Amino acid sequence: MKTMLLLAICLFGSTTASVYAQAKPGEFHGAEATKARYKVVYQLNTDDESKIKGTLKNIQNAISDPRLAGKLEVELVVHGSGVAVFQKDKSYEEAVQALQQKGVILAMCENTMRERKINRDDLFPFISYVPSGNGELIIRQQEGWSYMHP
């Protein structure tokens, strides 16, 4: 009997919550950016062109969100196969540099460079370096940064 009562409460509670959460069409306009600062770290660890372009576009979309104007700090942490986005012989320089000019921190994992025998001369001269991409992600998350892995 207790199980049935608990099940009924759970079902009623979840139904009520989902009905309550529904806004009328045209009434919901997204969350309000009430904080003074927002920080987000994006991870890129693939050389898949569609994922690289998608990640760069996601960063640009966040920067362009009028609710976050003047409030957003962004870092792109690249490791593993994601190094392709920073390589001079690839086609991402213009897009990456445009993000950097908008304040995005571009961080390359030095572990990846050692493992893959990549020299700094092979990468864009305007990027920054971190000892470990995973370490950077761990530190940023513990500092309260939002984590995005598109």
Side-chain angles (χ1 to χ4, degrees):
M1 186 66 169
K2 286 182 181 179
T3 305
M4 293 297 283
L5 181 59
L6 183 58
L7 181 60
I9 290 170
C10 288
L11 287 173
F12 177 75
S14 65
T15 303
T16 304
S18 64
V19 170
Y20 177 74
Q22 299 296 320
K24 293 180 183 174
E27 287 184 1
F28 181 74
H29 300 288
E32 289 184 40
T34 58
K35 294 184 177 188
R37 295 293 296 155
Y38 292 87
K39 297 177 180 184
V40 61
V41 59
Y42 286 81
Q43 176 184 7
L44 184 60
N45 63 345
T46 179
D47 60 358
D48 180 302
E49 184 177 359
S50 67
K51 290 191 181 197
I52 291 173
K53 287 181 177 181
T55 299
L56 300 178
K57 184 66 173 172
N58 284 342
I59 294 170
Q60 180 57 53
N61 287 344
I63 292 169
S64 299
D65 189 320
R67 299 171 297 175
L68 297 171
K71 297 180 174 188
L72 186 62
E73 189 171 345
V74 181
E75 180 174 352
L76 172 61
V77 175
V78 172
H79 62 103
S81 298
V83 68
V85 76
F86 291 159
Q87 289 179 312
K88 289 179 179 176
D89 64 345
K90 305 293 186 216
S91 61
Y92 304 108
E93 182 173 10
E94 187 177 317
V96 170
Q97 196 163 33
L99 291 176
Q100 190 215 30
Q101 290 170 352
K102 292 177 180 175
V104 175
I105 301 165
L106 305 172
M108 179 63 215
C109 171
E110 291 176 327
N111 282 341
T112 296
M113 293 174 64
R114 272 191 303 282
E115 292 167 5
R116 296 174 182 243
K117 297 177 180 27
I118 298 169
N119 295 314
R120 288 186 181 206
D121 293 339
D122 299 326
L123 305 176
F124 304 134
F126 52 85
I127 65 172
S128 300
Y129 298 88
V130 294
S132 143
N134 282 311
E136 186 72 2
L137 294 168
I138 291 166
I139 293 166
R140 290 303 195 193
Q141 287 182 326
Q142 291 301 309
E143 291 175 339
W145 290 52
S146 296
Y147 166 74
M148 300 295 292
H149 188 228

Short mmCIF file of all heavy atoms in Angstrom, two decimals, residues 24 27 39 43 45 62-63 66-67 71 78 80 91 98 105 108 121 125 132 137 142 144 149:
data_model
loop_
_atom_site.label_atom_id
_atom_site.label_comp_id
_atom_site.label_asym_id
_atom_site.label_seq_id
_atom_site.Cartn_x
_atom_site.Cartn_y
_atom_site.Cartn_z
N LYS A 24 3.08 29.62 -21.94
CA LYS A 24 2.20 29.82 -23.09
C LYS A 24 3.05 30.27 -24.27
O LYS A 24 4.05 30.95 -24.09
CB LYS A 24 1.14 30.87 -22.75
CG LYS A 24 0.17 30.40 -21.69
CD LYS A 24 -0.86 31.46 -21.39
CE LYS A 24 -1.78 30.98 -20.27
NZ LYS A 24 -2.70 32.04 -19.86
N GLU A 27 5.36 33.54 -24.56
CA GLU A 27 5.62 34.14 -23.25
C GLU A 27 7.04 33.91 -22.74
O GLU A 27 7.55 34.70 -21.98
CB GLU A 27 4.63 33.62 -22.21
CG GLU A 27 3.24 34.17 -22.39
CD GLU A 27 2.31 33.71 -21.28
OE1 GLU A 27 2.74 32.98 -20.37
OE2 GLU A 27 1.13 34.09 -21.34
N LYS A 39 31.41 32.58 -17.06
CA LYS A 39 32.65 31.99 -17.56
C LYS A 39 32.34 30.60 -18.10
O LYS A 39 31.66 29.81 -17.45
CB LYS A 39 33.69 31.89 -16.44
CG LYS A 39 34.09 33.24 -15.88
CD LYS A 39 35.06 33.08 -14.73
CE LYS A 39 35.46 34.44 -14.19
NZ LYS A 39 36.47 34.31 -13.13
N GLN A 43 35.68 22.47 -24.72
CA GLN A 43 36.67 21.45 -24.99
C GLN A 43 36.57 21.02 -26.44
O GLN A 43 35.47 20.79 -26.96
CB GLN A 43 36.44 20.23 -24.08
CG GLN A 43 37.39 19.09 -24.37
CD GLN A 43 37.08 17.85 -23.54
OE1 GLN A 43 36.08 17.79 -22.83
NE2 GLN A 43 37.93 16.86 -23.63
N ASN A 45 38.46 18.09 -28.81
CA ASN A 45 39.44 17.00 -28.87
C ASN A 45 39.19 16.08 -30.07
O ASN A 45 39.44 14.89 -30.01
CB ASN A 45 39.44 16.21 -27.56
CG ASN A 45 38.12 15.54 -27.27
OD1 ASN A 45 37.09 15.85 -27.86
ND2 ASN A 45 38.12 14.62 -26.32
N ALA A 62 27.52 32.13 -28.46
CA ALA A 62 27.51 32.56 -27.05
C ALA A 62 27.99 34.01 -26.95
O ALA A 62 27.38 34.82 -26.24
CB ALA A 62 28.40 31.64 -26.21
N ILE A 63 29.05 34.34 -27.67
CA ILE A 63 29.58 35.71 -27.64
C ILE A 63 28.54 36.70 -28.18
O ILE A 63 28.43 37.82 -27.69
CB ILE A 63 30.88 35.80 -28.47
CG1 ILE A 63 31.99 35.00 -27.79
CG2 ILE A 63 31.31 37.24 -28.68
CD1 ILE A 63 33.22 34.80 -28.65
N PRO A 66 22.91 38.65 -26.86
CA PRO A 66 22.82 39.98 -26.26
C PRO A 66 22.69 39.95 -24.73
O PRO A 66 23.10 40.89 -24.06
CB PRO A 66 21.57 40.59 -26.90
CG PRO A 66 20.81 39.45 -27.46
CD PRO A 66 21.80 38.37 -27.76
N ARG A 67 22.18 38.86 -24.18
CA ARG A 67 22.05 38.76 -22.72
C ARG A 67 23.41 38.66 -22.04
O ARG A 67 23.56 39.03 -20.89
CB ARG A 67 21.21 37.53 -22.34
CG ARG A 67 19.79 37.59 -22.87
CD ARG A 67 19.07 36.31 -22.67
NE ARG A 67 19.74 35.24 -23.43
CZ ARG A 67 19.40 33.96 -23.38
NH1 ARG A 67 18.41 33.57 -22.61
NH2 ARG A 67 20.05 33.07 -24.11
N LYS A 71 29.62 40.41 -20.43
CA LYS A 71 29.60 39.62 -19.20
C LYS A 71 30.28 38.27 -19.35
O LYS A 71 30.35 37.51 -18.39
CB LYS A 71 28.16 39.35 -18.76
CG LYS A 71 27.34 40.56 -18.42
CD LYS A 71 25.95 40.12 -18.00
CE LYS A 71 25.12 41.27 -17.51
NZ LYS A 71 23.86 40.80 -16.92
N VAL A 78 42.07 22.94 -26.30
CA VAL A 78 42.26 22.01 -27.40
C VAL A 78 43.28 20.95 -26.99
O VAL A 78 44.36 21.29 -26.48
CB VAL A 78 42.74 22.77 -28.66
CG1 VAL A 78 43.14 21.80 -29.76
CG2 VAL A 78 41.65 23.72 -29.14
N GLY A 80 44.41 16.44 -27.89
CA GLY A 80 44.20 15.29 -28.75
C GLY A 80 44.08 15.71 -30.21
O GLY A 80 44.77 16.62 -30.67
N SER A 91 42.45 25.02 -42.37
CA SER A 91 41.74 26.21 -42.85
C SER A 91 40.98 26.97 -41.77
O SER A 91 40.01 27.65 -42.07
CB SER A 91 40.76 25.78 -43.94
OG SER A 91 39.81 24.88 -43.40
N ALA A 98 39.49 35.34 -35.27
CA ALA A 98 38.34 36.22 -35.02
C ALA A 98 37.81 36.03 -33.60
O ALA A 98 37.45 36.99 -32.93
CB ALA A 98 37.24 35.96 -36.05
N ILE A 105 40.09 32.98 -24.98
CA ILE A 105 41.39 32.41 -24.66
C ILE A 105 41.53 31.12 -25.47
O ILE A 105 40.65 30.26 -25.42
CB ILE A 105 41.51 32.09 -23.16
CG1 ILE A 105 41.32 33.35 -22.33
CG2 ILE A 105 42.84 31.41 -22.85
CD1 ILE A 105 41.05 33.08 -20.85
N MET A 108 46.21 25.53 -25.97
CA MET A 108 46.65 24.27 -26.56
C MET A 108 47.35 23.42 -25.50
O MET A 108 48.18 23.92 -24.74
CB MET A 108 47.62 24.57 -27.71
CG MET A 108 48.17 23.33 -28.40
SD MET A 108 46.85 22.39 -29.18
CE MET A 108 47.44 20.72 -28.93
N ASP A 121 55.98 25.98 -33.94
CA ASP A 121 56.06 26.55 -35.30
C ASP A 121 54.98 26.00 -36.23
O ASP A 121 54.67 26.60 -37.25
CB ASP A 121 57.43 26.31 -35.92
CG ASP A 121 58.54 27.06 -35.21
OD1 ASP A 121 58.24 28.06 -34.52
OD2 ASP A 121 59.71 26.66 -35.36
N PRO A 125 50.69 31.46 -34.34
CA PRO A 125 51.54 32.14 -33.36
C PRO A 125 50.76 32.87 -32.27
O PRO A 125 51.34 33.28 -31.26
CB PRO A 125 52.32 33.14 -34.23
CG PRO A 125 51.45 33.38 -35.41
CD PRO A 125 50.73 32.08 -35.66
N SER A 132 48.48 20.71 -19.59
CA SER A 132 47.59 19.58 -19.86
C SER A 132 46.18 20.11 -20.12
O SER A 132 45.66 20.92 -19.35
CB SER A 132 47.62 18.65 -18.64
OG SER A 132 46.39 18.09 -18.35
N LEU A 137 40.86 21.85 -17.87
CA LEU A 137 39.41 21.65 -17.73
C LEU A 137 39.03 21.40 -16.27
O LEU A 137 38.04 21.94 -15.77
CB LEU A 137 38.94 20.48 -18.60
CG LEU A 137 39.06 20.70 -20.11
CD1 LEU A 137 38.84 19.39 -20.85
CD2 LEU A 137 38.11 21.77 -20.59
N GLN A 142 36.51 23.55 -11.40
CA GLN A 142 36.56 23.76 -9.95
C GLN A 142 36.49 25.24 -9.61
O GLN A 142 36.07 25.61 -8.51
CB GLN A 142 37.82 23.12 -9.35
CG GLN A 142 37.78 21.61 -9.38
CD GLN A 142 36.61 21.04 -8.62
OE1 GLN A 142 36.38 21.39 -7.47
NE2 GLN A 142 35.85 20.15 -9.25
N GLY A 144 34.47 27.14 -11.07
CA GLY A 144 33.08 27.51 -11.30
C GLY A 144 32.73 27.80 -12.75
O GLY A 144 31.62 28.26 -13.03
N HIS A 149 31.12 20.75 -24.15
CA HIS A 149 31.81 19.83 -25.05
C HIS A 149 30.85 19.51 -26.18
O HIS A 149 30.16 18.49 -26.15
CB HIS A 149 32.23 18.55 -24.31
CG HIS A 149 33.11 17.67 -25.12
ND1 HIS A 149 32.88 16.33 -25.23
CD2 HIS A 149 34.21 17.93 -25.85
CE1 HIS A 149 33.80 15.79 -26.01
NE2 HIS A 149 34.60 16.74 -26.39
#
